[in-house]
């Protein structure tokens, strides 16, 4: 039997060690799924507090370096025996891997491409420390070397259709990227929803996500259950997180369970999404959030200001004026579970884990050959 190619995932995040964003979550989901299907998988990632330089989790070899130590990053890449380097969103690591291993295959999935307007939004809502780091982040994620690396990649992919034109324009590609779907666990059938409508928010409690808009909704709808999952992602925002929890702690129909680690306790998220009638996003900017796909996989219609791949307008309601209360009223009056079923069917057809994994493996076999 032919050995499956060794895949090295290059990523800016790997879910755990205080990093709980979508890039890190999908990097880990992909890595562990590939291991279970017989691949050797390694990961190279900037290290975070509490992370060891080298460790193996669920069969995945994870090697990390100090985020500012380019020499250490080069050493890890040079030592890699991977057949394929797959960047989960392009960074300077993509460029370094191409320079150090020009004869290996180099694939890029552009998950959240940022134009100058997107960087301005990031800057507006950032903490003071993050604002100081914005120029460095721009260089390592969107600078000249990164754009050059994307153009030189053997293949460029996107996890959502609406990103294709943006990625082509941003990186100066000659052809549109190909859809390479995220891996989403989809229940075999739609779960039975709770008798009392449950309205759910799942995101980092960062200012760009504007969690306070969701928390304020609970008092306006005392007859419904509200669940706000997540926590602030940076130590500089811990005060913001704590302030929100103090402000809304006495709202009786509001639950704030904090972070739920979907890899260590998947049953908790399963219970919440199974009960959820409506999923609400209050973010001012997104790519295609994994939380949209995960909620849709449980038959949850989406209320959101952003509308990637028309998830809100097709499968819920798009909010254009930040009047989320009105959107909830209209959606509840408009048979939300039917919209949820349409969302479930779309995610099952496009993003279900076994199908999405097979799409990745097809590309790996193509380029390994």
């Amino acid at each position: 039997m032919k050995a499956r190619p060794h895949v090295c995932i290059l990523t800016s995040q790997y879910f755990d060690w205080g990093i709980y964003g979508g890039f890190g979550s999908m990097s880990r989901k992909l890595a562990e799924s590939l291991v279970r299907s017989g691949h050797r998988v390694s990961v190279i990632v900037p290290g975070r507090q509490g992370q060891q330089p080298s460790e193996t989790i669920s069969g995945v070899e994870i090697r990390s370096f100090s985020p500012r130590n380019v020499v250490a990053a080069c050493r890890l890449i040079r030592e890699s025996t991977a057949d394929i380097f797959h960047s989960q969103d392009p960074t300077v690591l993509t460029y370094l891997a191409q320079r150090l291993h020009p004869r290996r295959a180099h694939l890029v999935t552009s998950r959240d491409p940022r134009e100058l307007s997107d960087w301005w939004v990031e800057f507006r809502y950032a903490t003071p420390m993050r604002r100081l780091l914005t120029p460095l982040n721009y260089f390592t994620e969107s600078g000249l070397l990164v754009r050059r690396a994307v153009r030189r990649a053997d293949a460029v992919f996107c996890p959502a259709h609406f990103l294709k034109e943006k990625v082509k324009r941003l990186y100066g590609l000659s052809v549109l990227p190909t859809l390479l779907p995220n891996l989403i666990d989809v229940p075999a059938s739609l779960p039975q929803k709770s008798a009392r409508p449950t309205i759910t928010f799942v995101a980092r409690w960062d200012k760009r996500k504007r969690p306070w808009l969701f928390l304020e909704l609970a008092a306006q709808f005392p007859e419904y259950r509200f669940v706000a999952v997540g926590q602030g992602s940076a130590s500089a925002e811990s005060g913001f997180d704590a302030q929100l929890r103090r402000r809304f702690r006495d709202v009786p129909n509001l639950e704030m369970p904090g972070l739920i680690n979907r890899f260590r306790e998947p049953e908790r998220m399963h219970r919440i999404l199974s009960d959820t009638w409506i999923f609400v996003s209050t973010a001012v900017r997104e790519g295609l959030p994994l939380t949209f796909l995960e909620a849709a996989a449980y038959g949850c219609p989406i209320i959101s200001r952003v509308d990637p791949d028309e998830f809100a307008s097709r499968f819920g309601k798009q909010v254009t004026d930040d009047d989320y209360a009105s959107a909830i009223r209209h959606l509840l009056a408009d048979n939300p579970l039917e919209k949820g079923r349409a969302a479930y069917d779309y995610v099952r057809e496009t993003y279900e884990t076994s199908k999405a994994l097979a799409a990745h493996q097809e590309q790996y076999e193509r380029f390994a050959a």
Side-chain angles (χ1 to χ4, degrees), residues 64-77:
S64 63
F65 59 94
S66 173
R68 307 292 174 251
N69 192 336
V70 177
V71 173
C74 289
R75 177 178 56 80
L76 294 180
I77 293 171

PDB file of all heavy atoms in Angstrom, residues 64-77:
ATOM      1  N   SER A  64       7.376  24.337  17.889  1.00  0.00           N
ATOM      2  CA  SER A  64       7.128  25.774  18.011  1.00  0.00           C
ATOM      3  C   SER A  64       8.439  26.528  18.186  1.00  0.00           C
ATOM      4  O   SER A  64       9.473  25.953  18.555  1.00  0.00           O
ATOM      5  CB  SER A  64       6.207  26.053  19.200  1.00  0.00           C
ATOM      6  OG  SER A  64       6.804  25.659  20.421  1.00  0.00           O
ATOM      7  N   PHE A  65       8.380  27.814  17.918  1.00  0.00           N
ATOM      8  CA  PHE A  65       9.546  28.686  18.024  1.00  0.00           C
ATOM      9  C   PHE A  65       9.098  30.002  18.626  1.00  0.00           C
ATOM     10  O   PHE A  65       7.897  30.361  18.589  1.00  0.00           O
ATOM     11  CB  PHE A  65      10.169  28.926  16.641  1.00  0.00           C
ATOM     12  CG  PHE A  65       9.222  29.551  15.651  1.00  0.00           C
ATOM     13  CD1 PHE A  65       9.188  30.929  15.473  1.00  0.00           C
ATOM     14  CD2 PHE A  65       8.357  28.764  14.906  1.00  0.00           C
ATOM     15  CE1 PHE A  65       8.302  31.512  14.577  1.00  0.00           C
ATOM     16  CE2 PHE A  65       7.469  29.344  13.991  1.00  0.00           C
ATOM     17  CZ  PHE A  65       7.448  30.718  13.835  1.00  0.00           C
ATOM     18  N   SER A  66      10.008  30.749  19.183  1.00  0.00           N
ATOM     19  CA  SER A  66       9.677  32.074  19.696  1.00  0.00           C
ATOM     20  C   SER A  66       9.161  32.934  18.553  1.00  0.00           C
ATOM     21  O   SER A  66       9.774  32.976  17.474  1.00  0.00           O
ATOM     22  CB  SER A  66      10.906  32.725  20.323  1.00  0.00           C
ATOM     23  OG  SER A  66      10.626  34.065  20.685  1.00  0.00           O
ATOM     24  N   PRO A  67       8.031  33.617  18.726  1.00  0.00           N
ATOM     25  CA  PRO A  67       7.400  34.335  17.612  1.00  0.00           C
ATOM     26  C   PRO A  67       8.293  35.323  16.886  1.00  0.00           C
ATOM     27  O   PRO A  67       8.057  35.622  15.721  1.00  0.00           O
ATOM     28  CB  PRO A  67       6.220  35.042  18.288  1.00  0.00           C
ATOM     29  CG  PRO A  67       5.892  34.202  19.473  1.00  0.00           C
ATOM     30  CD  PRO A  67       7.200  33.668  19.952  1.00  0.00           C
ATOM     31  N   ARG A  68       9.327  35.846  17.538  1.00  0.00           N
ATOM     32  CA  ARG A  68      10.197  36.824  16.895  1.00  0.00           C
ATOM     33  C   ARG A  68      11.532  36.227  16.440  1.00  0.00           C
ATOM     34  O   ARG A  68      12.394  36.937  15.961  1.00  0.00           O
ATOM     35  CB  ARG A  68      10.469  37.995  17.861  1.00  0.00           C
ATOM     36  CG  ARG A  68       9.224  38.637  18.453  1.00  0.00           C
ATOM     37  CD  ARG A  68       8.409  39.381  17.413  1.00  0.00           C
ATOM     38  NE  ARG A  68       7.152  39.857  17.994  1.00  0.00           N
ATOM     39  CZ  ARG A  68       5.973  39.363  17.706  1.00  0.00           C
ATOM     40  NH1 ARG A  68       5.863  38.384  16.838  1.00  0.00           N
ATOM     41  NH2 ARG A  68       4.874  39.847  18.259  1.00  0.00           N
ATOM     42  N   ASN A  69      11.677  34.912  16.578  1.00  0.00           N
ATOM     43  CA  ASN A  69      12.952  34.268  16.280  1.00  0.00           C
ATOM     44  C   ASN A  69      12.888  33.609  14.894  1.00  0.00           C
ATOM     45  O   ASN A  69      12.548  32.431  14.757  1.00  0.00           O
ATOM     46  CB  ASN A  69      13.296  33.237  17.351  1.00  0.00           C
ATOM     47  CG  ASN A  69      14.723  32.758  17.260  1.00  0.00           C
ATOM     48  OD1 ASN A  69      15.345  32.820  16.202  1.00  0.00           O
ATOM     49  ND2 ASN A  69      15.259  32.263  18.372  1.00  0.00           N
ATOM     50  N   VAL A  70      13.226  34.372  13.871  1.00  0.00           N
ATOM     51  CA  VAL A  70      13.166  33.861  12.505  1.00  0.00           C
ATOM     52  C   VAL A  70      14.183  32.747  12.293  1.00  0.00           C
ATOM     53  O   VAL A  70      13.936  31.780  11.553  1.00  0.00           O
ATOM     54  CB  VAL A  70      13.389  35.006  11.495  1.00  0.00           C
ATOM     55  CG1 VAL A  70      13.397  34.476  10.070  1.00  0.00           C
ATOM     56  CG2 VAL A  70      12.314  36.070  11.657  1.00  0.00           C
ATOM     57  N   VAL A  71      15.345  32.854  12.940  1.00  0.00           N
ATOM     58  CA  VAL A  71      16.381  31.817  12.798  1.00  0.00           C
ATOM     59  C   VAL A  71      15.850  30.475  13.284  1.00  0.00           C
ATOM     60  O   VAL A  71      16.057  29.430  12.634  1.00  0.00           O
ATOM     61  CB  VAL A  71      17.654  32.223  13.570  1.00  0.00           C
ATOM     62  CG1 VAL A  71      18.662  31.069  13.569  1.00  0.00           C
ATOM     63  CG2 VAL A  71      18.273  33.479  12.959  1.00  0.00           C
ATOM     64  N   ALA A  72      15.156  30.476  14.418  1.00  0.00           N
ATOM     65  CA  ALA A  72      14.593  29.228  14.948  1.00  0.00           C
ATOM     66  C   ALA A  72      13.518  28.679  14.009  1.00  0.00           C
ATOM     67  O   ALA A  72      13.427  27.460  13.791  1.00  0.00           O
ATOM     68  CB  ALA A  72      14.010  29.465  16.334  1.00  0.00           C
ATOM     69  N   ALA A  73      12.700  29.570  13.451  1.00  0.00           N
ATOM     70  CA  ALA A  73      11.680  29.125  12.496  1.00  0.00           C
ATOM     71  C   ALA A  73      12.338  28.473  11.288  1.00  0.00           C
ATOM     72  O   ALA A  73      11.895  27.407  10.818  1.00  0.00           O
ATOM     73  CB  ALA A  73      10.818  30.311  12.069  1.00  0.00           C
ATOM     74  N   CYS A  74      13.388  29.076  10.784  1.00  0.00           N
ATOM     75  CA  CYS A  74      14.105  28.504   9.638  1.00  0.00           C
ATOM     76  C   CYS A  74      14.675  27.127   9.974  1.00  0.00           C
ATOM     77  O   CYS A  74      14.638  26.203   9.148  1.00  0.00           O
ATOM     78  CB  CYS A  74      15.219  29.438   9.196  1.00  0.00           C
ATOM     79  SG  CYS A  74      14.643  30.954   8.382  1.00  0.00           S
ATOM     80  N   ARG A  75      15.204  26.984  11.180  1.00  0.00           N
ATOM     81  CA  ARG A  75      15.779  25.690  11.581  1.00  0.00           C
ATOM     82  C   ARG A  75      14.704  24.608  11.570  1.00  0.00           C
ATOM     83  O   ARG A  75      14.933  23.501  11.059  1.00  0.00           O
ATOM     84  CB  ARG A  75      16.406  25.799  12.971  1.00  0.00           C
ATOM     85  CG  ARG A  75      16.958  24.475  13.501  1.00  0.00           C
ATOM     86  CD  ARG A  75      17.597  24.653  14.858  1.00  0.00           C
ATOM     87  NE  ARG A  75      16.691  25.247  15.834  1.00  0.00           N
ATOM     88  CZ  ARG A  75      15.750  24.570  16.499  1.00  0.00           C
ATOM     89  NH1 ARG A  75      15.596  23.253  16.270  1.00  0.00           N
ATOM     90  NH2 ARG A  75      14.985  25.172  17.385  1.00  0.00           N
ATOM     91  N   LEU A  76      13.530  24.909  12.113  1.00  0.00           N
ATOM     92  CA  LEU A  76      12.454  23.910  12.149  1.00  0.00           C
ATOM     93  C   LEU A  76      12.002  23.545  10.739  1.00  0.00           C
ATOM     94  O   LEU A  76      11.745  22.367  10.445  1.00  0.00           O
ATOM     95  CB  LEU A  76      11.270  24.450  12.957  1.00  0.00           C
ATOM     96  CG  LEU A  76      11.511  24.680  14.454  1.00  0.00           C
ATOM     97  CD1 LEU A  76      10.249  25.211  15.116  1.00  0.00           C
ATOM     98  CD2 LEU A  76      11.970  23.395  15.133  1.00  0.00           C
ATOM     99  N   ILE A  77      11.881  24.537   9.882  1.00  0.00           N
ATOM    100  CA  ILE A  77      11.452  24.258   8.512  1.00  0.00           C
ATOM    101  C   ILE A  77      12.513  23.450   7.781  1.00  0.00           C
ATOM    102  O   ILE A  77      12.212  22.475   7.076  1.00  0.00           O
ATOM    103  CB  ILE A  77      11.152  25.575   7.774  1.00  0.00           C
ATOM    104  CG1 ILE A  77       9.924  26.275   8.391  1.00  0.00           C
ATOM    105  CG2 ILE A  77      10.913  25.316   6.280  1.00  0.00           C
ATOM    106  CD1 ILE A  77       9.687  27.672   7.871  1.00  0.00           C
TER     107      ILE A  77
END
